[in-house]
Amino acid sequence: MRNLLRGHWFPLLTLLMIVALVAAACGGSSDDESDGGTTATTVADDATTTTAGGDTTATTDTTTAPAERGNLVVGRTGDIDILDPHLATAFQSFRTLELVYDSLLGLDPDLTVVPSLAEEWSFSDDGLALTLTLREGVSFHDGSTFGSEDVVASLERILDEETGAVARSNVLGIVGITAPDAGTVVLELANQDASILASLADVNLAMLSSDAITAGTVDREPNGTGAFKWSEWKQGTSVTLGANGDYWRDGPFVDTIEFRVIPDESSILSGLRAGEVDFAPLTDPVIVLQATDPLVVYRTPALSYHVLQLNADRDVLADVKVRQAISCAVDRQEVIDSAALGEGAVTGPITIPAYRSDSDGLPCGGTRDVEKAKQLLAEAGYTDGVTLNTIVIAGEFSTATAEGEALQAQLAEAGIKLELEVLETGTYVDRWLAADFDAAVALNGGRPDPHPMYVRYWTSDGNLNPVAGYRSDGLDELMAAGQAETDTAARVAIYDQLSEELQTQSPWIWLYTGFEYRVTTDGVTGFTSMPNGSLQYLRQTSLSS
């Protein structure tokens, strides 16, 4: 197989928004710059492409027009569960919707904030007003013109608590939204916000048509400004998107993308080999290792993290000693070895390289200590052990069941019984959002900044705090301080403190970070893999026979 590595992808993730707050201005860039200007073989400055014979060639940094178009078939194990980008939580859903919708800002392959629907931005001298200059000539798929009215309507919808937008907490610092003209939007901020630009680059903050919001059709008739138009959804079978011929960037370079539901990854691999599938986001290292020439494998260190989420509002889990006992009874490396063939690294809460948590801060020093776990349970009054209803998702990521079974076996030795309940995606998401579980085996997506990554979980008024089940004045203060701080070193220190409390209190049991795997046929070119798992560069991908 050809293995395209982004092995040293982390430049300093000191945020452009911090620079912008200091400089109080930021200019736009050309469409090529904001879109990365890369091909599938341009995966990092120091990356190379290795052939099956061991030859190594330098990568290129060009995008060439495709010779052919056609239908790109993407194989994946699960279906979408929702059409509203403001409500999407399942990976399949927002990885589809990010091709239909655009956000005000975007991320390049190194997770640097770049222009998107807003081509320029600037902060006021006091950092309390952010002015966004919108890109001209952008249309929604229904032909209506994108403008400031749509931005105002979209942000107001996200901020409306009744909407239930999953990223609402990320933008609660916005206290005023005005549109001086059709091409300008001004956001009034309660405080300086070092994370606001990264937040505005999230697909969960996608820009919707104000007409669609008024008509109430967002959850039925997707209408974005993205590279692909909504075509057809055969529930449980496939989603088909058609090329947007009026897209404001270069591309797209295929006529359609069909996301085809294929229940297991071994069958997806067979489809790739047979030429029935062109592209596949895979999660099982066992399957990835079987992807041999002429298939192409992208292996990118991931920001997402595998975690056993505990609901600290439920019964015995309200006792910190029980949660710490669970943490002490887990051998994280063994979970990686058994469920992911060693493809991962033990992690604490924050996975962003510039802010990465030290896993040594975990209870029992991050090492397994079954006797200490039993002692903690006894101190909490549970000498006979505890039983936890544990939900596991089927179809979202292939290692979920293996992780659940590994954790089940380990925790049983300490007297902690996990009753595993494997659920299809839609049911799992519904139960998860309702906090209807004791524990949940999960894979959570990472973000390029700690604030939008965790504010919705670990603040008392965070919209997903009921799911997390743990809150404290200390976390509220740290999250607020990290949001307002513009000095990078000071922010790192703040988030170190936040990680320390989360690890000590153990509301969740952070396990490991793995890799984003993408496997393609050799006729697929132009794709760029990203650490956050985004498939946005399918808009630059082309097919050849």
Side-chain angles (χ1 to χ4, degrees):
M1 65 181 172
R2 281 187 287 158
N3 198 353
L4 304 182
L5 303 180
R6 291 181 57 84
H8 302 289
W9 60 269
F10 54 95
L12 274 181
L13 284 175
T14 51
L15 304 167
L16 275 188
M17 61 287 294
I18 297 173
V19 175
L21 281 167
V22 175
C26 174
S29 67
S30 70
D31 292 348
D32 288 342
E33 289 172 335
S34 64
D35 213 31
T38 57
T39 67
T41 54
T42 307
V43 290
D45 291 341
D46 59 346
T48 56
T49 302
T50 305
T51 64
D55 297 330
T56 300
T57 59
T59 58
T60 62
D61 190 24
T62 59
T63 299
T64 56
E68 303 180 19
R69 293 183 68 88
N71 178 42
L72 180 75
V73 178
V74 178
R76 61 185 181 191
T77 56
D79 198 8
I80 65 173
D81 68 329
I82 202 165
L83 302 184
D84 188 335
H86 295 167
L87 305 182
T89 58
F91 283 115
Q92 288 98 336
S93 296
F94 57 77
R95 294 300 171 228
T96 302
L97 295 172
E98 70 180 344
L99 298 172
V100 176
Y101 292 93
D102 291 313
S103 301
L104 285 169
L105 301 176
L107 298 173
D108 72 6
D110 291 321
L111 304 184
T112 300
V113 176
V114 295
S116 183
L117 291 178
E119 60 181 352
E120 294 181 353
W121 61 85
S122 62
F123 286 91
S124 60
D125 291 341
D126 61 5
L128 299 181
L130 171 60
T131 299
L132 300 158
T133 302
L134 305 183
R135 192 177 298 275
E136 296 181 355
V138 177
S139 298
F140 287 99
H141 298 154
D142 65 359
S144 60
T145 300
F146 166 74
S148 59
E149 179 182 2
D150 305 299
V151 176
V152 173
S154 297
L155 292 176
E156 287 181 344
R157 182 177 191 262
I158 292 165
L159 287 166
D160 184 349
E161 190 170 2
E162 292 188 6
T163 301
V166 296
R168 175 176 178 267
S169 296
N170 297 7
V171 289
L172 282 179
I174 298 174
V175 294
I177 310 168
T178 58
D181 55 57
T184 308
V185 174
V186 179
L187 306 182
E188 181 184 346
L189 307 177
N191 299 287
Q192 289 191 1
D193 188 347
S195 67
I196 186 64
L197 298 184
S199 294
L200 294 176
D202 196 319
V203 66
N204 286 140
L205 272 74
M207 292 295 102
L208 311 180
S209 161
S210 57
D211 291 339
I213 294 172
T214 300
T217 58
V218 175
D219 61 346
R220 301 191 305 276
E221 302 172 10
N223 178 33
T225 61
F228 291 90
K229 300 179 179 181
W230 193 261
S231 180
E232 184 181 25
W233 180 19
K234 297 178 181 178
Q235 292 191 36
T237 302
S238 66
V239 171
T240 301
L241 308 178
N244 176 11
D246 297 319
Y247 190 46
W248 55 271
R249 286 186 173 100
D250 289 340
F253 299 124
V254 295
D255 294 320
T256 61
I257 294 181
E258 178 190 351
F259 290 94
R260 190 176 296 173
V261 178
I262 302 172
D264 65 272
E265 292 194 355
S266 60
S267 296
I268 293 175
L269 180 61
S270 296
L272 285 161
R273 289 169 172 163
E276 297 171 353
V277 174
D278 304 301
F279 180 102
L282 300 181
T283 59
D284 189 344
V286 174
I287 302 301
V288 174
L289 286 173
Q290 299 173 47
T292 55
D293 276 341
L295 299 180
V296 180
V297 176
Y298 297 79
R299 179 179 178 270
T300 306
L303 285 185
S304 59
Y305 55 94
H306 298 253
V307 61
L308 179 65
Q309 298 176 340
L310 306 179
N311 185 347
D313 282 332
R314 295 283 289 267
D315 303 326
V316 299
L317 293 173
D319 192 320
V320 65
K321 289 187 177 181
V322 174
R323 302 195 301 268
Q324 290 175 337
I326 295 170
S327 184
C328 287
V330 171
D331 183 337
R332 292 161 175 80
Q333 187 60 51
E334 195 276 331
V335 173
I336 299 171
D337 293 341
S338 62
L341 293 185
E343 285 279 282
V346 173
T347 189
I350 300 179
T351 60
I352 305 159
Y355 298 92
R356 192 175 183 98
S357 303
D358 185 351
S359 59
D360 290 345
L362 294 162
C364 298
T367 60
R368 190 178 191 223
D369 190 335
V370 175
E371 292 308 312
K372 179 64 174 179
K374 291 179 179 178
Q375 177 187 330
L376 287 165
L377 282 179
E379 291 174 1
Y382 297 102
T383 54
D384 294 331
V386 297
T387 299
L388 304 177
N389 167 249
T390 305
I391 60 174
V392 182
I393 196 167
E396 181 85 351
F397 63 105
S398 64
T399 58
T401 299
E403 289 171 19
E405 291 172 347
L407 291 167
Q408 184 182 53
Q410 291 179 10
L411 293 173
E413 295 180 30
I416 302 164
K417 182 179 180 181
L418 297 188
E419 294 182 339
L420 302 182
E421 188 175 1
V422 180
L423 306 170
E424 59 87 21
T425 300
T427 303
Y428 178 98
V429 170
D430 289 344
R431 289 274 301 275
W432 185 82
L433 287 172
D436 183 15
F437 61 87
D438 294 325
V441 176
L443 174 62
N444 267 22
R447 298 290 189 275
D449 184 272
H451 188 79
M453 184 170 180
Y454 277 139
V455 65
R456 54 186 174 174
Y457 291 111
W458 305 121
T459 54
S460 298
D461 60 354
N463 53 294
L464 293 181
N465 183 256
V467 176
Y470 175 79
R471 58 206 61 85
S472 74
D473 292 342
L475 286 182
D476 288 346
E477 292 169 1
L478 288 167
M479 289 301 298
Q483 180 184 25
E485 181 58 65
T486 60
D487 178 77
T488 302
R491 289 193 95 213
V492 169
I494 290 167
Y495 289 115
D496 282 347
Q497 293 178 62
L498 184 138
S499 292
E500 181 179 358
E501 176 168 348
L502 288 175
Q503 292 183 106
T504 300
Q505 293 295 319
S506 302
W508 290 355
I509 310 302
W510 282 268
L511 300 171
Y512 70 99
T513 55
F515 294 88
E516 300 288 350
Y517 301 109
R518 307 290 182 253
V519 181
T520 78
T521 61
D522 60 355
V524 174
T525 59
F527 179 73
T528 299
S529 183
M530 295 180 66
N532 64 350
S534 172
L535 299 182
Q536 68 181 38
Y537 283 102
L538 287 178
R539 68 193 182 208
Q540 294 256 289
T541 298
S542 59
L543 279 171
S544 62
S545 57

